[in-house]
Amino acid sequence: MQEPTAIASVHVHARPGTVYRLLTDLSQWRAFVAECRVTPGPFTARVGERFRGTNRRGPMVWRTTATVTQATPDRCFAFRVTLFGMPVSYWRYDIVPTDRGCRVTESTRDHRRTLMRVVSIPATGVVDRAAHNRRNIQRTLTRLKALAEAAEGGTSAGQGEGGPAGAEGTAGVAEADGNRR
């Protein structure tokens, strides 16, 4: 599998199960996911399950379909994204238990072919998709941390010791996909 085009991690003072439940409860995404809004409907986090996402950037709107590729309770939630049946991206959340909660890593890989990369610039208004996704991953993880810690009665450390870290792209890899979920 190719290296992530955008990745970051955050330490969360909450149990892995709390984080996993937030990640797999799509009705909660509006509270922490930076770019995508999920179309309401029944959803069970299991391999092969699909859900629809709507992304908006200014006047630009695009809709995608995501298919769950991994759903390991308290450990990992991952899915691939398509647009009109064409591969767009792969998104993954890894949850690793720690002595004081867990470390959550969000990553994405760009699966767009050349034509879709070119067309996506005017369609989404984003020129540097990898940088855009790095910023959105930082926002998502910061919000997820606060939500998970609040759910367990803790407080978020913000950008300090427990804030998002490691949001570096992979050198030499083309723009990442912006079609989050």
Side-chain angles (χ1 to χ4, degrees), residues 20 70-77 95:
Y20 185 80
Q70 190 167 351
T72 306
D74 305 349
R75 298 288 184 194
C76 180
F77 181 58
I95 306 165

Side-chain angles (χ1 to χ4, degrees), residues 89-137:
S89 62
Y90 174 79
W91 289 85
R92 181 179 176 110
Y93 293 90
D94 289 294
I95 306 165
V96 178
T98 66
D99 291 341
R100 298 179 306 160
C102 60
R103 185 145 202 88
V104 181
T105 300
E106 181 181 5
S107 62
T108 186
R109 290 164 173 80
D110 188 358
H111 288 178
R112 295 172 301 157
R113 295 191 177 100
T114 304
L115 179 60
M116 187 177 283
R117 288 181 192 195
V118 171
V119 170
S120 71
I121 294 171
T124 66
V126 176
V127 175
D128 186 347
R129 180 54 64 187
H132 180 78
N133 283 347
R134 283 191 298 274
R135 287 188 301 273
N136 279 342
I137 286 173

Side-chain angles (χ1 to χ4, degrees), residues 14-24 73-75 95 102 152:
R15 292 178 298 248
T18 299
V19 172
Y20 185 80
R21 279 189 298 282
L22 287 168
L23 290 170
T24 58
D74 305 349
R75 298 288 184 194
I95 306 165
C102 60
E152 292 199 0

Side-chain angles (χ1 to χ4, degrees), residues 38-52:
V38 176
T39 303
F43 176 79
T44 302
R46 65 175 174 246
V47 173
E49 187 78 7
R50 293 178 181 217
F51 58 96
R52 302 270 309 169

